[in-house]
Amino acid sequence: MTDADQRLMTRKADLGDTLKAPIPDHGPLAEGEVLLALDRFSLTTNNITYAAYGDAIGYWKVFPTGRDDYGLMPVWGFADVAASRAEGIEVGARVFGYFPMTDTLLVQAEKVSRGGFADASPWRKAVPDIYNRYVLCAADRHYDPALENSEAIFRPLFVTSYTAVDFLRNAGFFGAKRIVVSSASSKTAYGAAWCLEQDDIEVVALTGERNRAFVESLGCYDAVHGYDAVESLPADVPTLYLDLAGDPGLRRRVHARFGDLLTYDCLVGSTQGDAFPQPDPELVGPRPVFFFAATCLDQHRERGTLHAFYERFLADQKTFFSRVIDPASPWIRIVEHQGLDAAADVVRALADGASDPAEGAVVRIAR
């Protein structure tokens, strides 16, 4: 079934429930507008985090639906310029960026350069600038068409892993000697563990029993424990909590276990939560602090260090990609799904925690 002129919306009250519906007619392109035809995008638990934090951080505002009950869950992927009335952006150009799950996206191009452009649509101001920029692949010397699936999956995740570890490292890991990582099977979590391999700090994984064998097979954690073992974790050194699960009950248990030895709670994601954390009066120890990779990138831009950061990041990302898809012992297998109807099934599995951590899901728009 074709996805022509269709979009896949997410019900805010149940993040696994989706609705395929027509895209409203935008009429002829105005001066400066560009029509992007989405080709492929990734779906991971990161997208569930976008939806879970949709109201708190503004992700639901980025691609308005005109409805209160349904939003457009953001995804990262590749598109082609289908039509353009913006100088410097040619029809047929390949771009990478932030999209809704939709056949096409109309953007108002600004800050056009050889390397890309930004969407100046007023609703895009709800989030930091990094979410609104589109990279022109022809000008990206790191772009490789053969790695599009890997890039769609890992580029938005690894930049979070990488900047989070940078932040923690620059803070001396808040005095911790051990990092406990929840939702350790998630791609952002094991990306962070990979980044920490050369640091003198112990990295301990927390995961569900269903995913334990996968997490152990990665070899990037010093120890792997199930969620049922939180109360028996060693509590003998200062410890930092790197939280990808976003589960308030699990957070309470971790805090209670480490007590005064817990030096910092870095909240990165919400693979097991369905809303932004609220203040918890029963929580022992430091309050969770949300880590926002986009803020770190904006700070680099303000300091004039963004180019140097990206040079370092992209070199390390290439090494990470090579490890993840190493034919001899790949950490994941990439599976392509065809069309928005298939995307709906992937979203349901991700929201229900039923997806396979060893699979990287990429959706191709059906035309």
Side-chain angles (χ1 to χ4, degrees), residues 18 82 86 150 158 188 195 219 230 260 285 300 302 318 321:
T18 53
S150 298
F158 189 65
T188 306
C195 292
V230 168
D260 292 341
H300 275 295
E302 291 167 4
K318 187 174 182 179
F321 282 3

Side-chain angles (χ1 to χ4, degrees), residues 8-320:
L8 189 67
M9 299 186 292
T10 300
R11 187 157 67 92
K12 296 179 182 180
D14 177 0
L15 302 183
D17 189 18
T18 53
L19 174 65
K20 190 175 176 181
I23 301 170
D25 182 22
H26 52 70
L29 266 63
E31 186 69 26
E33 289 186 333
V34 176
L35 187 66
L36 301 174
L38 186 58
D39 173 41
R40 71 182 71 209
F41 59 91
S42 63
L43 278 171
T44 70
T45 52
N46 184 52
N47 304 104
I48 302 303
T49 295
Y50 289 147
Y53 296 171
D55 288 322
I57 296 182
Y59 294 125
W60 287 137
K61 297 177 183 177
V62 179
F63 305 114
T65 63
R67 300 181 56 155
D68 293 331
D69 52 347
Y70 279 86
L72 283 165
M73 182 186 292
V75 296
W76 292 90
F78 290 89
D80 297 304
V81 176
S84 174
R85 290 196 61 192
E87 186 176 351
I89 304 175
E90 302 298 325
V91 171
R94 190 76 162 171
V95 303
F96 174 81
Y98 204 51
F99 295 90
M101 290 185 282
T102 182
D103 176 31
T104 57
L105 174 66
L106 185 68
V107 300
Q108 178 68 46
E110 69 166 5
K111 301 177 184 176
V112 180
S113 69
R114 187 178 69 86
F117 58 92
D119 182 4
S121 301
W123 43 84
R124 299 293 290 257
K125 299 186 186 303
V127 293
D129 184 61
I130 193 69
Y131 290 102
N132 301 327
R133 293 204 60 80
Y134 292 89
V135 177
L136 287 166
C137 297
D140 181 0
R141 66 186 180 88
H142 296 279
Y143 171 69
D144 181 346
L147 293 177
E148 279 195 347
N149 283 347
S150 298
E151 183 138 357
I153 292 169
F154 282 105
R155 183 166 176 170
L157 304 181
F158 189 65
V159 74
T160 299
S161 306
Y162 198 82
T163 52
V165 169
D166 255 12
F167 164 71
L168 297 174
R169 188 183 289 133
N170 291 338
F173 298 107
F174 294 91
K177 300 297 182 185
R178 176 185 295 131
I179 298 178
V180 172
V181 184
S182 65
S183 195
S185 66
S186 69
K187 297 169 182 65
T188 306
Y190 64 71
W194 183 87
C195 292
L196 288 162
E197 284 183 341
Q198 302 305 315
D199 290 278
D200 184 21
I201 193 162
E202 183 184 9
V203 183
V204 175
L206 286 178
T207 189
E209 193 59 36
R210 185 175 68 89
N211 296 333
R212 183 164 182 165
F214 169 75
V215 175
E216 290 174 340
S217 75
L218 297 173
C220 59
Y221 295 102
D222 295 302
V224 179
H225 299 275
Y227 290 125
D228 59 354
V230 168
E231 284 72 24
S232 60
L233 290 175
D236 51 354
V237 297
T239 298
L240 186 153
Y241 185 36
L242 187 60
D243 186 9
L244 277 296
D247 182 332
L250 177 61
R251 181 181 303 115
R252 283 192 209 107
R253 292 170 61 207
V254 170
H255 279 238
R257 174 58 183 163
F258 293 103
D260 292 341
L261 286 171
L262 191 67
T263 65
Y264 193 77
D265 182 334
C266 185
L267 174 61
V268 178
S270 186
T271 66
Q272 298 173 31
D274 58 5
F276 196 76
Q278 300 301 311
D280 184 352
E282 298 179 20
L283 196 65
V284 175
R287 65 178 179 85
V289 179
F290 182 64
F291 175 79
F292 203 11
T295 300
C296 287
L297 296 176
D298 283 348
Q299 290 170 348
H300 275 295
R301 181 178 289 107
E302 291 167 4
R303 295 194 297 261
T305 57
L306 187 62
H307 179 74
F309 167 82
Y310 266 121
E311 286 297 301
R312 175 168 59 91
F313 164 72
L314 290 170
D316 288 343
Q317 177 182 251
K318 187 174 182 179
T319 305
F320 178 67

